[in-house]
Amino acid sequence: QVQLVESGGGLVQPGGSLRLSCAASGSILSIGAMGWSRQAPGKQRELVAAITSGGRTNYADSVKGRFTISRDNAKNTVYLQMNSLKPEDTAVYYCNADVVNIGTMIRRDYWGQGTQVTVSS
């Protein structure tokens, strides 16, 4: 089994900051790319940011310059630093990781349960 657990969501005022964390644990042989996606009510899930095992990053246009993704490979953890938050950033944020399961030797994508981010005054 592989588990991804997000933390760090909450309520913040417009212009504020939050830092999300996502820790992967369990039967992990290796982790490739990791990422964050979000889903607002009535909308499809969208990719926010992704990072390769080597540290190369990719961002949605809507968050470039405001969000920063990073990872700590020793801790199997990915972070999302969110600055200058806007009401339109309100959504459930999900992390995902491309994991090779040490038990099955199968590579697949795993997802966390999501954490709510609400930007409101």
Side-chain angles (χ1 to χ4, degrees):
Q1 277 288 69
V2 175
Q3 300 84 34
L4 272 63
V5 178
E6 300 109 332
S7 61
L11 173 64
V12 62
Q13 292 187 340
S17 298
L18 281 175
R19 188 191 195 211
L20 305 183
S21 300
C22 173
S25 63
S27 304
I28 298 171
L29 176 63
S30 64
I31 301 178
M34 304 180 81
W36 290 93
S37 299
R38 67 186 180 187
Q39 187 165 20
K43 295 187 176 181
Q44 288 189 329
R45 188 175 298 191
E46 63 171 350
L47 178 67
V48 173
I51 184 168
T52 67
S53 57
R56 190 167 67 246
T57 59
N58 184 47
Y59 296 94
D61 288 342
S62 58
V63 306
K64 282 181 181 176
R66 300 188 298 121
F67 290 12
T68 302
I69 189 170
S70 61
R71 63 190 286 170
D72 184 333
N73 291 331
K75 295 181 179 180
N76 291 337
T77 299
V78 63
Y79 306 96
L80 186 68
Q81 178 66 44
M82 305 185 293
N83 299 328
S84 302
L85 282 160
K86 305 175 182 180
E88 50 263 44
D89 294 318
T90 295
V92 178
Y93 284 71
Y94 300 90
C95 70
N96 71 289
D98 185 33
V99 177
V100 176
N101 187 307
I102 198 170
T104 64
M105 299 304 287
I106 293 174
R107 174 182 172 180
R108 55 156 283 197
D109 210 23
Y110 291 85
W111 288 82
Q113 80 289 348
T115 185
Q116 177 70 45
V117 171
T118 302
V119 184
S120 175
S121 54

